[in-house]
Amino acid sequence: GAVVSQHPSRVICKSGTSVKIECRSLDFQATTMFWYRQFPKQSLMLMATSNEGSKATYEQGVEKDKFLINHASLTLSTLTVTSAHPEDSSFYICSARLPSGGALFNEQFFGPGTRLTVL
Amino acid sequence: DAKTTQPNSMESNEEEPVHLPCNHSTISGTDYIHWYRQLPSQGPEYVIHGLTSNVNNRMASLAIAEDRKSSTLILHRATLRDAAVYYCILLRGTASKLTFGTGTRLQVTL
């Protein structure tokens, strides 16, 4: 099956610093990737849809200047949390979808997640 | 998007079948029924999806009511590794955005 990786798996940073999280599709090309955030004991919330070569589409209430998304290649999307604060501490998860027409088109493949702690 | 309703939690004994229900009374004709699960501290993983007919794969079976207003995910023999939160999600046509509800937390005991 398709594999999605995330790096780092865990990061602790000081308040005010920026943190970059990478999401890679290892064995397929993903024209579309998604970024989710999950707070403890809560469900996943979609933050943005990332399309290769174009600007990300952010969900309502998500600050695009705070959560910078770059999808520069078909196998890599990055999420940068700028000027992180303690309330940004969360579990960040990315997913990728096979291009239209693929046999597994309706599946999304999720990364293992990145746990961010902002002190 | 049509909404789904699932019980907050369920328990099962190991080696026994588990039936996880999902109600989606406002489902439209082009909505696919998807199931994902999330093991503790991991990203979700795809389990199964269907439109009208029942579906089987190596992980589970999906039974869809004739009127499509409900469905049931069936794990034929639960193991401890099946303990997870199971999400029932409707996806319209070729739409790709998954909207996760609260899901059902499945506990499996010896």
Side-chain angles (χ1 to χ4, degrees):
Chain A
V3 179
V4 175
S5 72
Q6 280 185 244
H7 178 81
S9 58
R10 203 178 275 270
V11 58
I12 300 172
C13 70
K14 291 183 179 179
S15 188
T17 61
S18 294
V19 174
K20 181 186 281 188
I21 302 170
E22 293 186 349
C23 175
R24 292 182 186 272
S25 55
L26 297 185
D27 49 3
F28 67 102
Q29 293 184 329
T31 52
T32 303
M33 290 184 170
F34 304 87
W35 286 96
Y36 297 82
R37 179 167 55 179
Q38 185 175 33
F39 292 108
K41 307 281 187 195
Q42 294 187 25
S43 188
L44 284 81
M45 283 180 44
L46 179 65
M47 299 175 68
T49 302
S50 168
N51 293 299
E52 186 267 339
S54 64
K55 289 184 179 180
T57 303
Y58 290 82
E59 295 298 301
Q60 194 171 10
V62 178
E63 298 174 60
K64 61 180 181 182
D65 294 329
K66 180 167 182 65
F67 299 100
L68 302 178
I69 291 172
N70 184 280
H71 192 160
S73 80
L74 287 171
T75 59
L76 174 64
S77 176
T78 60
L79 167 68
T80 301
V81 183
T82 62
S83 187
H85 291 285
E87 57 265 31
D88 298 323
S89 298
S90 188
F91 194 46
Y92 290 86
I93 307 168
C94 71
S95 72
R97 192 182 185 196
L98 288 173
S100 173
L104 301 175
F105 176 60
N106 279 314
E107 283 189 49
Q108 276 192 29
F109 300 94
F110 286 82
T114 296
R115 190 162 301 283
L116 170 64
T117 302
V118 185
L119 302 176
Chain B
D1 291 335
K3 294 187 77 171
T4 63
T5 305
Q6 300 177 251
N8 287 333
S9 63
M10 290 185 66
E11 284 187 25
S12 173
N13 294 323
E14 201 178 20
E15 304 288 311
E16 289 187 358
V18 181
H19 291 232
L20 297 164
C22 180
N23 286 322
H24 27 79
S25 57
T26 60
I27 192 171
S28 80
T30 56
D31 285 338
Y32 285 79
I33 303 159
H34 286 245
W35 284 82
Y36 282 78
R37 72 178 185 181
Q38 186 178 23
L39 279 64
S41 298
Q42 295 187 32
E45 64 175 339
Y46 167 85
V47 177
I48 201 167
H49 80 277
L51 183 62
T52 56
S53 304
N54 295 343
V55 184
N56 299 300
N57 67 19
R58 63 175 179 79
M59 286 181 72
S61 295
L62 176 60
I64 300 173
E66 201 167 324
D67 63 5
R68 301 213 321 129
K69 293 186 176 183
S70 65
S71 60
T72 303
L73 178 70
I74 302 167
L75 306 179
H76 295 286
R77 287 179 67 197
T79 70
L80 295 177
R81 285 178 293 182
D82 291 321
V85 179
Y86 287 79
Y87 297 98
C88 169
I89 302 169
L90 301 183
L91 210 56
R92 182 154 296 172
T94 56
S96 56
K97 280 171 44 169
L98 292 173
T99 301
F100 287 82
T102 52
T104 296
R105 182 173 298 278
L106 175 66
Q107 289 181 290
V108 181
T109 53
L110 291 170

